[in-house]
Amino acid sequence: MSDAPVLLFDSGIGGLTVLREARVLLPERRFVYVADDAGFPYGGWSEDALSERIVRLFGQLIAEYRPAICIIACNTASTLVLEPLRKAFPEMQFVGTVPAIKPAAECTRSGLVSVLATPGTVRRTYTRDLIQSFASQCHVRLVGSENLAGLAERYIRGDSIDPQDILAEIEPCFVDQNGRKTDIVVLACTHYPFLANRYRSLAPWPVDWLDPAEAIARRAKSLLPVSDGVSEVPDIAVFTSAEPDFAIRRLMSGFGLQFVATQD
Ligand code: DGL
């Protein structure tokens, strides 16, 4: 089989929520996990600067790892750079992660849906277009969270997190309007599913927390040829800071990823 890896990209540890689903569906594949932690968080970046940074970074990553496919496991990046990436690297297949607004609009019974995302994703024209194209019959509340991706990073490092800090970020998702209540919250940042159990215990009422990770993994699988063997080469994690702390290195090894440093 071709040993070309699947490259998964995020600004930090969020893409691991997609990696765990991709591993289930593509067990024979080799993975290269790339965290642009030198640029984290992506939520506050200006669009031009972020787009330029990611396209430049992919020039290096594609040349170095020659992936079979690239999964942009980050909503904040996908809603901005999918098009520039496809234009810059027409021979490469990119699978994006964009807010699951269409499935949410199809499944809601109350008609009230919230999209929890970084401030960057909430601002994007791409996100607004998704709402207009697929959810015009719903009431969609966009909630731009300043702190949740950072809280998820801290949680996964083993820091204790005050439940009130999480509640403050998710509370605006809950809308009660004329007896109808939000019934679906779209997790539109790949960092957020790490805290899903916390959301469930803190939520003012039960809702469906929509995580698109499995759908993204399925899409990637559908684009790849069927493999006839199992890769023997270890999966690796690449960090643009070149110096993630001990907790992150331990996390990567828990995910079966060997740490490799790279230059930003
Ligand atoms: N994990 C990223 C996303 O899906 C964003 C985290 C950040 O850099 O703020 O949007």
Side-chain angles (χ1 to χ4, degrees), residues 10-15 36 39-45 73-78 97 117-119 121 145-146 149-150 153 187-192:
D10 182 39
S11 58
I13 50 117
D36 182 16
F40 180 85
Y42 275 177
W45 277 71
C74 173
N75 294 260
T76 318
S78 297
T97 307
T118 67
T121 300
S145 168
E146 292 284 346
E153 290 260 342
L187 296 176
C189 168
T190 51
H191 279 69
Y192 298 171

Side-chain angles (χ1 to χ4, degrees), residues 73-243:
C74 173
N75 294 260
T76 318
S78 297
T79 50
L80 181 68
V81 297
L82 273 180
E83 217 180 281
L85 281 173
R86 287 178 177 138
K87 203 176 275 174
F89 310 103
E91 72 294 345
M92 180 55 60
Q93 300 197 86
F94 291 94
V95 175
T97 307
V98 300
I101 288 165
K102 185 170 184 251
E106 285 165 0
C107 295
T108 178
R109 283 194 274 185
S110 69
L112 267 57
V113 167
S114 290
V115 177
L116 185 59
T118 67
T121 300
V122 163
R123 273 196 306 271
R124 303 271 187 266
T125 312
Y126 194 110
T127 306
R128 312 267 162 170
D129 288 350
L130 282 177
I131 295 172
Q132 207 159 16
S133 308
F134 301 112
S136 54
Q137 74 286 12
C138 300
H139 178 276
V140 180
R141 171 170 287 188
L142 287 170
V143 178
S145 168
E146 292 284 346
N147 302 313
L148 207 48
L151 289 173
E153 290 260 342
R154 283 182 40 213
Y155 169 75
I156 214 75
R157 279 181 157 86
D159 292 359
S160 78
I161 309 289
D162 185 341
Q164 290 309 312
D165 290 345
I166 297 175
L167 182 60
E169 303 298 311
I170 65 168
E171 215 164 22
C173 294
F174 291 82
V175 181
D176 185 343
Q177 217 172 54
N178 309 324
R180 291 187 303 142
K181 291 179 172 182
T182 305
D183 61 355
I184 300 187
V185 178
V186 177
L187 296 176
C189 168
T190 51
H191 279 69
Y192 298 171
F194 280 124
L195 291 168
N197 287 335
R198 301 293 178 97
Y199 311 148
R200 284 190 193 100
S201 64
L202 291 163
W205 59 80
V207 294
D208 225 352
W209 301 92
L210 211 63
D211 173 6
E214 192 199 334
I216 294 151
R218 248 188 283 119
R219 173 77 185 139
K221 184 181 166 81
S222 76
L223 295 173
L224 285 166
V226 177
S227 310
D228 52 5
V230 175
S231 168
E232 301 295 333
V233 185
D235 294 347
I236 58 169
V238 179
F239 280 71
T240 55
S241 71
E243 50 188 25

